[in-house]
Amino acid sequence: MPGSEASTRQVSVRVESQYSPEHSNAQQQQWFFLYTVRITNHSAETVQLLNRHWIITDALGEVREVRGSGVVGRQPVLKTGESFEYTSGCPLPTPFGSMRGSYEMVTEHGERFLAEVAPFMLRQADAYH
């Protein structure tokens, strides 16, 4: 399963993605992918996720950026050792592509930083490039 992992200031972000055939329609050039993100706070400070920024690239090289508040309607607070996991989805006009991005985090002392989301593939099982 395509995935990635990155760590920024002892906050790790692990992603796994999969093709969702039940939400896709290849005849209409609509492919849908699910991705599950697990954010774990390994630092000594409590952190909160404020915003997300995604950079989505399809197989034709078209780039789309998505910015927004929180994830899945939440701005989770993670104490030392805690994790937050969620699943979301991404439509593409091609059978493969990639995503990368960052989460804007804030520490309990008000210091903001960007937690990296390393690039991961979105790929229909039988799509090759």
Side-chain angles (χ1 to χ4, degrees), residues 12-57:
S12 69
V13 179
R14 190 168 152 253
V15 185
E16 292 182 355
S17 65
Q18 65 183 32
Y19 174 62
S20 178
E22 61 273 14
H23 295 103
S24 299
N25 186 334
Q27 292 173 334
Q28 294 182 5
Q29 295 190 336
Q30 296 174 350
W31 287 267
F32 196 83
F33 301 88
L34 297 172
Y35 57 92
T36 299
V37 179
R38 183 175 184 84
I39 304 162
T40 305
N41 181 12
H42 299 286
S43 76
E45 289 188 275
T46 296
V47 297
Q48 181 177 14
L49 187 155
L50 298 178
N51 299 298
R52 69 187 181 281
H53 176 210
W54 289 113
I55 300 168
I56 304 160
T57 306

Side-chain angles (χ1 to χ4, degrees), residues 62-74:
E62 296 293 321
V63 177
R64 174 169 59 112
E65 291 194 47
V66 176
R67 294 178 187 270
S69 176
V71 290
V72 294
R74 300 190 50 197

